[in-house]
Every structure is written in structure tokens, then in C-alpha cells.
Amino acid sequence: MAAKATLHCLTGCAIGEILGMVIGTALAWGNAPTMVTSIVLAFVFGYSFTLFAVRRAGLDFKTALKVALAADTVSIAIMELVDNGIIALVPGAMDAQLSDGLFWSSLLGGFVIAFVITTPVNKWMIGRGKGHAVVHAYH
């Protein structure tokens, strides 16, 4: 269950992260605005996946938003910290272009490491009725 929850969060995070990196790189933004855009979009897409699912289950928007925030905040935050930390630590990754293998390998490698680190955190949270455990009532 924890791996499935982590993969769910990672999917939204990855879409937002990649979109942010593509936007920042394509527009030749500096590292800081590109990273901020990526992080913001990762949270937006991460929350939106859960928000969409619980709204479909019949929750009003305000309640659904509370559920999404409770379910995903810690998971997304850890993933973003790990993923962006990996990218920042890989020499040349922040300056790589969209056509560079280094850009994509560091980004994807960061996702893999973030998944491995976040899954036990999600397992711990689910075991205590927190995180994605709050969403399961609506599936």
C-alpha cells in the first residue's frame, strides 16, 4: 500500500517537476526560478491527482482539498527535497539542456531515489492513520 501511495504521489510530482524543468530550461531561466517553478508545479500536480479522486468520490471542494493536503504534503515535500537535492548535487545537472542525457538521467535518478526514501515514510504514516490512509476512506 505504501509503494502504491508513493507511486501515486511520485506521478503527480514527476509531471510537475518535469514541466517546471522544461519551462525553466526552455526559457533559459536561472537555477533558482527553475527549481521554484518545478517544486510549485510538483505540489500542484501532486495535490490535484488526489483532489480529483476524492472529488469524484463525492466530497465537496473544501473537504477534498483538506484530504489532499493531509494525504500528500509530507510525501510530496520529502520527494521534492530528495529529488531536487540530487539534481543540485549532480555536477552540471542544473546547467544541462533538455537535449542532454545528463538532464534526464539526473532527473530520473532523483525520482528513483526519492521513491526509495519516501516509501518507508509513507508506510510509517499509513500505519498511524495519516498520509494516504486518510484517502482510503474515499476509494
Side-chain angles (χ1 to χ4, degrees), residues 24-73:
T25 302
L27 297 175
W29 289 351
N31 291 343
T34 298
M35 196 170 278
V36 168
T37 301
S38 294
I39 292 168
V40 168
L41 289 175
F43 273 92
V44 168
F45 279 90
Y47 287 140
S48 68
F49 278 25
T50 300
L51 188 62
F52 178 77
V54 294
R55 287 278 293 144
R56 195 172 26 161
L59 269 66
D60 63 276
F61 182 80
K62 185 177 178 182
T63 304
L65 183 60
K66 287 179 183 179
V67 168
L69 292 172
D72 294 334
T73 299

Side-chain angles (χ1 to χ4, degrees), residues 91-108:
M94 288 300 296
D95 298 319
Q97 299 299 308
L98 295 174
S99 59
D100 295 338
L102 180 61
F103 174 89
W104 295 104
S105 63
S106 62
L107 189 62
L108 296 176

Side-chain angles (χ1 to χ4, degrees), residues 67-80:
V67 168
L69 292 172
D72 294 334
T73 299
V74 172
S75 184
I76 294 171
I78 292 170
M79 280 190 244
E80 286 306 296

Side-chain angles (χ1 to χ4, degrees), residues 22 36 84 88 101 103 115 119 121 124-125 133:
V22 168
V36 168
N84 283 285
F103 174 89
F115 178 83
T119 300
V121 174
W124 181 83
M125 289 176 60

